[in-house]
Amino acid sequence: MTDAGDSFWITPASPTAEATPLVFASPHSGDRYPDDMDAAPGLSPASLRSAEDALVGRLIAEGPRSGAPLIEGRIGRAYVDLNRDPGELDPALIEDLDGPVGAKTAAGYGVLPRLAGDGTPLYARRMTLEEAETRIATVHRPYHQALGELMQATRVRHGRAVLIDWHSMPARAVGAEVVLGDRYGSACSARLTRRLRDLFEGLGWRVSLNRPYAGGWSTQCWGRPDEGYEAIQIEISRGLYLDEATLAPSAGCSRTQKALGRVIAALCAER
């Protein structure tokens, strides 16, 4: 059974699976774009959706079956980026703001992106600060509140909680099939990073560590091993499973889902 929220879905762990300290998340799975986005006239659907982690929720469906609840964003990343600090507002997009801002925000990819994933401008207008704050309050905040509740409940039950934050990356992004981001060793135990690397390399996939993706805001927030919370970000190459032009499953999608299912089942079986 899947519980629905306005900005997210939660698929609870199967009641027949042994509970694990793992919590799965896919913040960029969303493909809904509210009417009030008021994007640039003529913006193509392909550009609008170019930053989505299309099909990632489907690829990791083994998580709930193996005992890890899964939270997925429902709203498209171009509307609100759930893996960005809510304070990273872009003065080039939003009125009545001053800097400074982080490098990603300055480049057009703050919590409310100015550019699509393919670099196309998303708007032919500027956004009011009230509009920006409303988007964060109605989409970003509820998702992270729900994620926080999952993490806290898991820690109470198991003494620790481990966030596995799943993402996809363009096939051209890096010469690897997987990038593991553990904030350069600060967000989780070295044992978890090594185990994931071994599991993915066991599939014959090349694995990169922290380059070019060291982990986003969720990993930063929940990567606190001294407090009983760990986090790691996993980027999967879209070339393994997706036609990047159409966002439809490629010929390799079923094979990739089965491979990831084996990785997830093995990870969830460990305590």
Side-chain angles (χ1 to χ4, degrees):
M1 177 181 178
T2 298
D3 294 331
D6 288 340
S7 63
F8 58 88
W9 297 97
I10 295 177
T11 305
S14 169
T16 62
E18 186 172 350
T20 79
L22 305 179
V23 173
F24 280 15
S26 180
H28 296 154
S29 284
D31 59 3
R32 297 173 61 240
Y33 295 89
D35 292 340
D36 66 4
M37 183 169 178
D38 192 17
L43 180 70
S44 72
S47 288
L48 177 65
R49 301 187 61 195
S50 56
E52 286 179 18
D53 286 342
L55 302 182
V56 166
R58 172 169 150 185
L59 291 177
I60 60 174
E62 181 59 35
R65 291 194 291 263
S66 293
L70 168 63
I71 181 170
E72 301 174 67
R74 296 184 69 194
I75 304 298
R77 186 180 183 182
Y79 187 81
V80 174
D81 191 331
L82 295 174
N83 202 32
R84 290 282 183 269
D85 184 330
E88 279 291 320
L89 297 173
D90 186 351
L93 174 64
I94 301 164
E95 298 171 347
D96 302 321
L97 283 179
D98 297 317
V101 295
K104 288 186 182 295
T105 302
Y109 299 102
V111 65
L112 305 179
R114 174 166 38 91
L115 302 178
D118 63 5
T120 304
L122 288 167
Y123 301 95
R125 65 184 181 91
R126 296 188 77 199
M127 189 182 299
T128 67
L129 182 56
E130 180 182 8
E131 181 182 359
E133 291 173 341
T134 297
R135 287 195 192 188
I136 291 167
T138 57
V139 179
H140 192 282
R141 192 172 302 145
Y143 172 88
H144 283 282
Q145 180 177 342
L147 173 59
E149 290 169 358
L150 285 173
M151 292 292 286
Q152 290 158 12
T154 300
R155 183 179 177 275
V156 167
R157 183 170 185 176
H158 296 279
R160 67 187 183 107
V162 181
L163 173 63
I164 311 292
D165 209 43
W166 295 88
H167 297 260
S168 70
M169 59 185 177
R172 67 180 187 279
V174 61
E177 282 72 46
V178 177
V179 177
L180 301 177
D182 64 3
R183 307 289 295 184
Y184 302 98
S186 68
C188 66
S189 69
R191 178 180 176 277
L192 175 62
T193 303
R194 284 196 304 268
R195 180 59 175 145
L196 280 165
R197 184 166 201 160
D198 289 346
L199 287 169
F200 285 119
E201 288 181 341
L203 300 175
W205 294 357
R206 295 164 295 176
V207 179
S208 176
L209 183 58
N210 290 310
R211 293 179 181 156
Y213 308 108
W217 194 65
S218 295
T219 310
Q220 181 180 353
C221 287
W222 290 107
R224 310 195 305 267
D226 291 346
E227 300 174 34
Y229 296 107
E230 297 181 57
I232 191 165
Q233 180 172 295
I234 301 177
E235 299 270 355
I236 305 294
S237 173
R238 295 172 192 157
L240 290 168
Y241 70 93
L242 190 72
D243 180 327
E244 294 187 75
T246 65
L247 301 186
S250 70
C253 186
S254 178
R255 181 173 62 251
T256 299
Q257 184 174 1
K258 290 176 182 176
L260 285 172
R262 294 196 297 273
V263 168
I264 290 166
L267 188 65
C268 289
E270 300 176 1
R271 299 293 181 266

